[in-house]
């Protein structure tokens, strides 16, 4: 893959052209905010969003024909990069075979067998079409299994847009919550309790007050939706232990981290066996796939085996099932985790060394193949209140400065970036230079 820029003048990179503006104006008339997922609207960084017409490997191509090095990678599923040739071949064959059955087929069985043979705490699983749907279903199972109604989540963890999880910490009693979205009733919001990340005392207080009412604790063992909030092992272990002591189930939301940080996700890294786990992103190879799974006795409560109802017309779509299996098989065969860890570490360490050398107040936090560019601070950022003031505004300026040099980050200072196997040494060398120049433009060296 070539690492050279396109023939167009670099000055046109990153600028929404007449075609972008026309497309966005048309979109605004038909879709809320002109988009089908809020972050795409550039509201967090300002300006008119660019429209992309194609993608290959680590590159996006805009409708204007400009190429961008892509560190969004569709927000995480594309560990092999866009349209990996081996996966593409499987997808083409799948499309020529069937688009959807609405009936039993062997492809979901093959993917289920592959996952359960490698992740011992997933004894059974059910495929759905999104991470939100997976989380919503896992919570329903937890409530049915325990006969309890309340869920404990953590401020700074995102679990999709189900009503009961669109909540934030309230004021007053331990765990009190409030809706974080219009349209979520107070009654629904009140069933979800909220504790602080990186704060064992907050967890203890909630369980002391409401422990007998809590059906499950749900957490991202590696929070990566409001920045990359690195958690201490001791905090995760204390949270899990408190849940066990009070008869609550433990749900790991690994929609992002599952099959991205390790074969068994953060559960493997931490050596903690959750009762239920949710997946998405990587297991679909770029197609809309999610899953929830875990202990056999819990999953057998799901219809038609048990009384917990959940269904989906397009669940286990055969194209997504085959793309996901091909992706996971290649990840395993080429030892992608080791390669991506080394590649991401080298890239981020190089940037941090350059920032430090030039006295630039920016830092890149990393774990596995995820990384996050943020304002420099003197401590590890583990919860929302640790994020330096002005971070979002600073990132917005860096985002546009990088964009005009041909580097595409997710358009929000609170979204993380992703490395893929398609990010070659040549592309990363160019990206490092461009990012450093972008930061120097926004924050000149002292």
């Amino acid at each position: 893959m070539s690492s050279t820029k396109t023939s167009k003048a670099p000055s046109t990179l990153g600028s929404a052209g007449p075609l972008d503006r026309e497309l966005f104006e048309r979109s605004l008339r038909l879709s809320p905010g002109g988009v089908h997922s809020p972050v795409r609207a550039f509201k967090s960084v300002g300006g008119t969003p660019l429209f992309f017409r194609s993608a290959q490997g680590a590159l996006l191509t805009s409708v204007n024909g400009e190429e961008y090095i892509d560190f969004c990678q569709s927000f995480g599923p594309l560990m092999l990069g866009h349209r990996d040739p081996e996966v593409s071949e499987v997808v083409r064959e799948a499309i020529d075979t069937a688009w959807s059955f609405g009936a039993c087929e062997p492809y979901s069985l093959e993917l289920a067998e592959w996952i359960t043979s490698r992740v011992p705490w997933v004894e059974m699983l059910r495929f759905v079409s999104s991470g939100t749907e997976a989380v919503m279903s896992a919570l329903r199972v937890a409530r049915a299994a325990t006969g309890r109604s309340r869920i404990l989540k953590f401020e700074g963890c995102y679990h999709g847009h189900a009503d009961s999880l669109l909540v934030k910490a309230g004021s007053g009693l331990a765990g009190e919550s409030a809706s974080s979205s219009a349209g979520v009733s107070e009654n629904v919001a009140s069933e979800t309790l909220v504790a602080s990340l990186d704060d064992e005392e907050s967890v203890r207080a909630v369980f002391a007050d409401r422990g007998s009412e809590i059906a499950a604790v749900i957490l991202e063992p590696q929070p990566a939706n409001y920045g990359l909030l690195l958690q201490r092992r001791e905090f995760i272990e204390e949270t899990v232990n408190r849940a066990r002591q009070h008869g609550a189930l433990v749900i790991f939301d690994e929609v992002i981290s599952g099959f991205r940080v390790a074969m068994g996700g953060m559960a493997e890294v931490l050596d903690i066996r959750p009762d239920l786990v949710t997946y998405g992103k990587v297991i679909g190879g770029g197609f809309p796939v999610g899953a929830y799974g875990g202990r056999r006795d819990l999953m057998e409560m799901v219809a038609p085996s048990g009384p917990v109802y959940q269904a989906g017309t397009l669940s286990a779509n055969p194209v997504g099932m085959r793309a996901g299996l091909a992706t996971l098989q290649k990840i395993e065969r080429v030892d992608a985790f080791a390669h991506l860890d080394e590649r991401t570490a080298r890239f981020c360490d190089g940037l941090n060394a350059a920032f430090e050398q030039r006295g630039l107040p920016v830092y890149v936090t990393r774990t596995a193949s995820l990384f996050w560019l943020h304002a420099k601070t003197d401590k590890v950022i583990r919860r929302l209140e640790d994020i330096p003031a002005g971070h979002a505004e600073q990132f917005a300026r860096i985002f546009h400065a990088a964009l005009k040099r041909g580097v595409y980050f997710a358009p929000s200072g609170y979204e993380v970036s992703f490395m893929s196997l398609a990010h070659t040494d040549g592309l990363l060398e160019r990206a490092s230079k461009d990012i450093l120049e972008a930061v120097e433009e926004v924050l000149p060296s002292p």
Side-chain angles (χ1 to χ4, degrees):
M1 181 186 298
S2 171
S3 63
T4 59
K5 293 184 184 291
T6 59
S7 59
K8 290 200 173 188
S11 60
T12 67
L13 281 166
S15 302
L19 181 54
D20 297 289
R21 288 191 288 272
E22 177 197 342
L23 292 170
F24 194 50
E25 287 170 5
R26 288 164 55 190
S27 297
L28 284 167
R29 292 195 293 269
L30 299 173
S31 304
V35 294
H36 299 283
S37 190
V39 73
R40 301 177 192 176
F42 275 35
K43 188 174 182 180
S44 294
V45 295
T48 300
L50 301 186
F51 280 66
F52 296 101
R53 71 183 186 197
S54 64
Q56 182 65 56
L59 299 174
L60 295 172
T61 302
S62 74
V63 293
N64 301 305
E66 301 285 4
E67 280 187 350
Y68 296 81
I69 301 173
D70 178 24
F71 288 115
C72 177
Q73 291 291 310
S74 194
F75 294 91
L78 304 175
M79 285 184 67
L80 306 177
H82 294 277
R83 297 172 57 227
D84 174 79
E86 292 180 35
V87 179
S88 291
E89 184 176 347
V90 171
V91 168
R92 284 193 293 269
E93 181 185 337
I95 290 174
D96 286 342
T97 302
W99 294 356
S100 182
F101 290 106
C104 295
E105 34 64 42
Y107 311 113
S108 59
L109 172 60
E110 292 170 1
L111 181 54
E113 287 177 334
W114 196 95
I115 292 173
T116 55
S117 69
R118 286 157 177 80
V119 185
W121 46 92
V122 179
E123 297 172 349
M124 299 185 79
L125 80 163
R126 168 68 64 83
F127 290 114
V128 291
S129 297
S130 70
T132 291
E133 194 178 348
V135 168
M136 178 183 70
S137 304
L139 295 182
R140 188 177 300 154
V141 171
R143 287 186 166 112
T146 61
R148 301 174 181 180
S149 62
R150 296 191 186 275
I151 301 297
L152 174 61
K153 73 175 291 287
F154 291 86
E155 191 84 342
C157 290
Y158 175 73
H159 304 289
H161 57 88
D163 281 10
S164 63
L165 293 169
L166 288 177
V167 299
K168 58 187 177 182
S171 59
L173 297 174
E176 183 177 310
S177 64
S179 166
S180 62
S181 170
V184 176
S185 71
E186 291 183 7
N187 286 340
V188 170
S190 69
E191 289 195 333
T192 302
L193 306 170
V194 182
S196 298
L197 287 169
D198 192 44
D199 185 349
E200 286 90 337
E201 189 52 46
S202 171
V203 175
R204 295 183 192 114
V206 174
F207 274 108
D209 189 47
R210 304 286 185 85
S212 63
E213 305 170 30
I214 298 174
V217 172
I218 183 168
L219 75 160
E220 291 180 274
Q222 176 48 72
N225 274 291
Y226 284 113
L228 193 60
L229 308 179
L230 304 181
Q231 298 303 296
R232 293 176 293 112
R233 176 185 294 271
E234 295 81 4
F235 169 73
I236 302 290
E237 290 176 342
E238 174 66 8
T239 299
V240 170
N241 290 338
R242 288 285 162 171
R244 306 277 195 227
Q245 291 167 13
H246 287 84
L249 299 182
V250 173
I251 304 174
F252 274 8
D253 180 347
E254 299 233 43
V255 169
I256 289 180
S257 56
F259 302 97
R260 166 59 81 165
V261 302
M263 187 64 72
M266 285 301 296
E268 176 184 321
V269 172
L270 295 165
D271 193 24
I272 295 175
R273 189 182 183 111
D275 299 298
L276 292 166
V277 62
T278 61
Y279 295 125
K281 308 285 187 185
V282 178
I283 68 167
F287 287 83
V289 176
Y292 63 104
R295 284 169 31 194
R296 180 174 298 275
D297 62 309
L298 297 174
M299 292 303 297
E300 285 183 336
M301 297 187 70
V302 177
S305 295
V308 177
Y309 193 74
Q310 180 270 313
T313 299
L314 297 177
S315 294
N317 175 270
V319 180
M321 296 291 97
R322 296 182 70 177
L325 180 58
T327 297
L328 291 170
Q329 287 174 329
K330 183 168 182 177
I331 286 170
E332 182 178 58
R333 187 177 72 251
V334 303
D335 194 14
F337 302 111
H339 290 302
L340 285 175
D341 186 74
E342 186 277 332
R343 186 173 303 180
T344 311
R346 178 161 37 89
F347 177 70
C348 295
D349 289 349
L351 281 174
N352 283 331
F355 294 151
E356 180 71 23
Q357 183 181 24
R358 290 163 175 77
L360 297 167
V362 177
Y363 190 79
V364 185
T365 291
R366 176 196 80 90
T367 186
S369 57
L370 297 80
F371 63 97
W372 180 44
L373 186 73
H374 57 82
K376 190 173 184 179
T377 180
D378 59 359
K379 62 180 180 179
V380 177
I381 299 176
R382 303 193 191 278
R383 45 186 175 176
L384 296 185
E385 50 265 44
D386 295 336
I387 299 175
H391 159 72
E393 294 76 14
Q394 176 178 290
F395 176 82
R397 297 195 302 273
I398 294 172
F399 170 84
H400 283 288
L403 195 64
K404 74 181 184 181
R405 290 169 169 83
V407 176
Y408 186 78
F409 293 113
S412 168
Y414 299 97
E415 296 288 351
V416 304
S417 296
F418 299 90
M419 189 71 71
S420 79
L421 289 180
H423 285 92
T424 62
D425 289 344
L427 285 173
L428 291 177
E429 182 179 352
R430 186 181 110 199
S432 295
K433 176 178 177 291
D434 290 341
I435 292 168
L436 181 58
E437 287 181 359
V439 173
E440 285 186 307
E441 175 186 317
V442 170
L443 305 168
S445 301

